[in-house]
Amino acid sequence: MSIKEDIGLRIRTEREKKGMSREVLCLDGDELTVRQLLRIENGESLPSLEKLEYIAQRLETSLSNLLAEDNIDIPDEYYELKNRLIKFPTYGDEKRIEQKLQMIEDIYDRYFPILPEEELLTLDIIENIMNFAKHEKGPKIEEIFEDVFDQAQKRKILV
């Protein structure tokens, strides 16, 4: 079982043990939407530390209980690859765009199961920009940002 699935299962189990629906846990959706919680519980998304703290608070449990023994450290190699990806210029050159898309694919292959939602969003945005540059077809912004835009508007401090 992946880290995402394990943490999602713990959250769902704890929520159900408390007899709490997803809607009740999420309240008004300012901190966490029902859709985000569903993706987390299904093991599709790794919650950020901020969201995990919110979930733990709402479930009246500790972070360590939700995380158990799992170590969700993201390796330094990931950040090195991400840094290279972001700083790699394409100059509109199709070969360089393809290289950048391959870098994204490599990151997904190596780190997808352990990356939190925010990191996956960043990669998704970069990938869509590169595909736009390559194919001159616009990405569906609504699909990329889904709940993220609403969450960003409601945050007191943007990260």
Side-chain angles (χ1 to χ4, degrees):
M1 185 178 287
S2 74
I3 292 171
K4 288 181 190 180
E5 292 169 330
D6 201 28
I7 291 173
L9 179 61
R10 281 196 203 105
I11 291 170
R12 186 177 66 237
T13 302
E14 188 69 24
R15 179 182 58 76
E16 289 174 349
K17 187 169 72 174
K18 305 261 182 190
M20 188 181 286
S21 70
R22 288 184 184 100
E23 291 77 11
V24 169
L25 189 144
C26 295
L27 292 175
D28 58 7
D30 280 351
E31 299 290 328
L32 178 72
T33 66
V34 173
R35 179 182 282 171
Q36 289 171 326
L37 179 59
L38 183 62
R39 285 193 306 252
I40 291 166
E41 288 185 350
N42 288 336
E44 298 168 9
S45 178
L46 186 64
S48 65
L49 195 51
E50 182 180 272
K51 284 185 179 27
L52 201 55
E53 286 175 341
Y54 174 78
I55 292 168
Q57 177 189 5
R58 293 288 299 137
L59 292 173
E60 298 176 342
T61 190
S62 66
L63 276 174
S64 60
N65 183 42
L66 297 179
L67 294 173
E69 310 93 36
D70 287 329
N71 182 359
I72 57 170
D73 289 334
I74 299 174
D76 290 339
E77 295 83 29
Y78 164 75
Y79 291 109
E80 290 168 13
L81 282 171
K82 180 182 168 189
N83 188 38
R84 280 196 354 240
L85 172 69
I86 289 172
K87 291 185 176 184
F88 183 76
T90 61
Y91 307 113
D93 181 330
E94 194 168 323
K95 268 188 164 180
R96 293 181 71 84
I97 291 169
E98 195 56 47
Q99 287 176 316
K100 199 161 188 166
L101 286 167
Q102 185 57 53
M103 291 170 78
I104 293 169
E105 194 64 36
D106 293 343
I107 290 172
Y108 277 137
D109 289 345
R110 293 171 64 183
Y111 302 105
F112 184 84
I114 63 169
L115 292 178
E117 213 172 289
E118 288 84 358
E119 292 297 323
L120 292 173
L121 175 65
T122 301
L123 292 171
D124 196 26
I125 290 170
I126 294 170
E127 183 177 32
N128 278 287
I129 290 169
M130 291 299 98
N131 281 323
F132 176 77
K134 183 178 178 182
H135 303 291
E136 296 186 13
K137 294 180 184 173
K140 294 181 180 175
I141 298 300
E142 297 84 16
E143 290 176 13
I144 297 171
F145 288 103
E146 290 179 358
D147 302 319
V148 178
F149 184 70
D150 289 332
Q151 295 296 317
Q153 285 183 319
K154 294 174 183 176
R155 283 190 182 171
K156 293 180 179 94
I157 299 174
L158 294 177
V159 195

